[in-house]
């Protein structure tokens, strides 16, 4: 597996990481614990060094699972996790509102360290910007944790450009994580230019459009009620039917390149900038194998032009989140 640096931070990771959210039932039905551990360990053997989790996934169970799976490989991997929500630690459920108060951040770090069974968090993201707490205070709290050796790098998830600038002035931001794919390109407007200017890496989550860009979902697909996609407007049957048009045009290009739709979508992201590192998630070994093969798909300038021209023909239908999550 090729390696990439997340901006100018010096943090080197595999060109493709592994998003671990789906290993617990926050996103669909999750997967068997031993199968999840086996997949993560196979990922390490195949050269993946970058693993993404969060305290809220579960909550807590996902960090515990990732920690157990990666314990034998601690010196070979980079583990990213996230803070920023109120959580009922007794019931181990019940997502509350945002909370990035400095005391809460430091407590969250201590608890994540225990669950992950590590001495330092490699990359610690604010999961969502908290409008009640100045970002300078958030960056200052993480800076304290870095100085104490409990965190190595600071990240932000779904921030705006000015938030990035203000945080970076207090504690250099190593990576920004946001949704980015061929069917969600908003980061191109303002976030990616700021990352390029400041030397910050960019980590696209949902790089396969929550599975839609694999071509395996159509208007007849059904989702378990626990699956977030069952509530997302973009995955309503009528939206899925309309959005098939994007897959048709991309499928023609993928076929010419000898790639699957998923590989084309990931290769396109990798071709955008050398400091972009997608983190596709999957619970299936054959999907994992398909995804990492995208690192070997080299798109020419002509390919990229053709993809841009094809994508411009289609307007994706439906909001990317339910209204309550979109507001957050």
């Amino acid at each position: 597996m090729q390696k990439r640096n997340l901006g100018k931070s010096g943090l080197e990771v595999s060109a493709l990481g592994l998003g671990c959210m789906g290993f617990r039932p926050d996103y669909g039905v999750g997967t068997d614990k031993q199968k999840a551990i086996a997949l993560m360990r196979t990922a390490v053997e195949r050269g993946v060094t970058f693993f993404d989790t969060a305290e809220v996934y579960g909550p807590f169970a996902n960090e515990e699972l990732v920690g157990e799976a990666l314990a034998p490989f601690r010196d070979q991997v980079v583990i990213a996790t996230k803070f920023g929500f109120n959580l009922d630690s007794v019931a181990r459920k019940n997502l509350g509102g945002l909370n990035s108060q400095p005391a809460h951040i430091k407590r969250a770090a201590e608890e994540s360290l225990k669950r992950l069974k590590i001495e330092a968090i490699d990359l610690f993201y604010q999961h969502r910007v908290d409008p009640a707490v100045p970002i300078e205070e958030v960056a200052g709290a993480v800076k304290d944790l870095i100085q104490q050796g409990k965190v190595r790098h600071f990240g932000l998830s779904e921030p705006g450009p000015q938030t990035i600038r203000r945080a970076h002035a207090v504690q250099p931001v190593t990576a920004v994580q946001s949704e980015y794919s061929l069917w969600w390109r908003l980061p191109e407007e303002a976030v990616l230019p700021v990352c390029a200017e400041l030397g910050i890496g960019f980590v696209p989550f949902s790089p396969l459009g929550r599975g839609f860009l694999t071509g395996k979902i159509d208007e007849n697909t059904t989702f378990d009620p626990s699956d977030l996609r069952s509530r997302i407007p973009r995955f309503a049957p009528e939206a899925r039917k309309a959005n098939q048009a994007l897959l048709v045009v991309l499928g023609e290009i993928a076929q010419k390149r000898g790639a699957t739709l998923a590989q084309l979508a990931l290769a396109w992201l990798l071709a955008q900038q050398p400091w972009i590192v997608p983190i596709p998630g999957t619970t299936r070994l054959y999907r994992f194998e398909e995804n990492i093969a995208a690192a070997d798909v080299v798109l020419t300038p002509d390919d990229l032009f053709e993809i841009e021209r094809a994508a411009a023909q289609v307007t994706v239908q439906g909001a990317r989140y339910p209204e309550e999550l979109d507001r957050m």
Side-chain angles (χ1 to χ4, degrees), residues 161-175:
Q162 293 310 312
T163 298
I164 298 170
R165 291 185 185 279
R166 289 167 54 197
H168 193 73
V170 176
Q171 169 60 44
V173 176
T174 291

Side-chain angles (χ1 to χ4, degrees), residues 4 16 29 31 42 83 91 126 136 149 180 202 211 214 220 246 257 268 302 315 327:
R4 292 191 164 199
L16 289 166
V29 296
T31 191
T42 297
F83 64 86
Q126 183 188 36
E136 290 83 359
Y180 182 42
F202 188 81
T214 66
N220 298 314
L246 177 63
R257 295 295 302 155
W268 177 83
D302 286 345
T315 300
R327 288 196 304 268

Side-chain angles (χ1 to χ4, degrees), residues 3 41 44 60 72 76 128 130 142 148 155 161 167 171 180 203 205 213 229 245 251 256 271 298 300 302:
K3 296 292 197 303
R41 291 179 176 177
V44 176
F60 310 126
Q76 302 173 44
R128 289 294 184 272
D130 185 348
V142 178
Q148 294 165 18
Q171 169 60 44
Y180 182 42
V203 179
F205 70 78
L213 294 176
R229 290 172 292 186
K256 285 193 289 185
V298 179
T300 67
D302 286 345

Side-chain angles (χ1 to χ4, degrees), residues 28-42:
V29 296
T31 191
D32 174 80
K33 176 181 177 180
Q34 294 308 316
K35 288 182 179 178
I37 289 173
L39 194 151
M40 282 186 269
R41 291 179 176 177
T42 297

Side-chain angles (χ1 to χ4, degrees), residues 202-278:
F202 188 81
V203 179
F205 70 78
S206 298
L208 297 175
R210 294 183 172 83
F212 187 81
L213 294 176
T214 66
K216 305 302 181 183
I217 295 173
D218 61 25
E219 71 265 31
N220 298 314
T221 303
T222 59
F223 298 106
D224 187 275
S226 66
D227 191 319
L228 176 62
R229 290 172 292 186
S230 67
R231 299 159 47 212
I232 293 177
R234 190 164 288 193
F235 282 90
E238 61 275 14
R240 279 181 269 149
K241 184 177 181 179
N243 293 334
Q244 290 294 318
L246 177 63
L247 301 183
V248 171
V249 294
L250 294 177
E252 294 172 357
I253 301 170
Q255 188 173 21
K256 285 193 289 185
R257 295 295 302 155
T260 66
L261 273 168
Q263 290 166 349
L264 183 78
L266 292 171
W268 177 83
L269 283 169
L270 291 170
Q272 299 308 297
Q273 294 291 347
W275 35 266
I276 287 180
V277 179

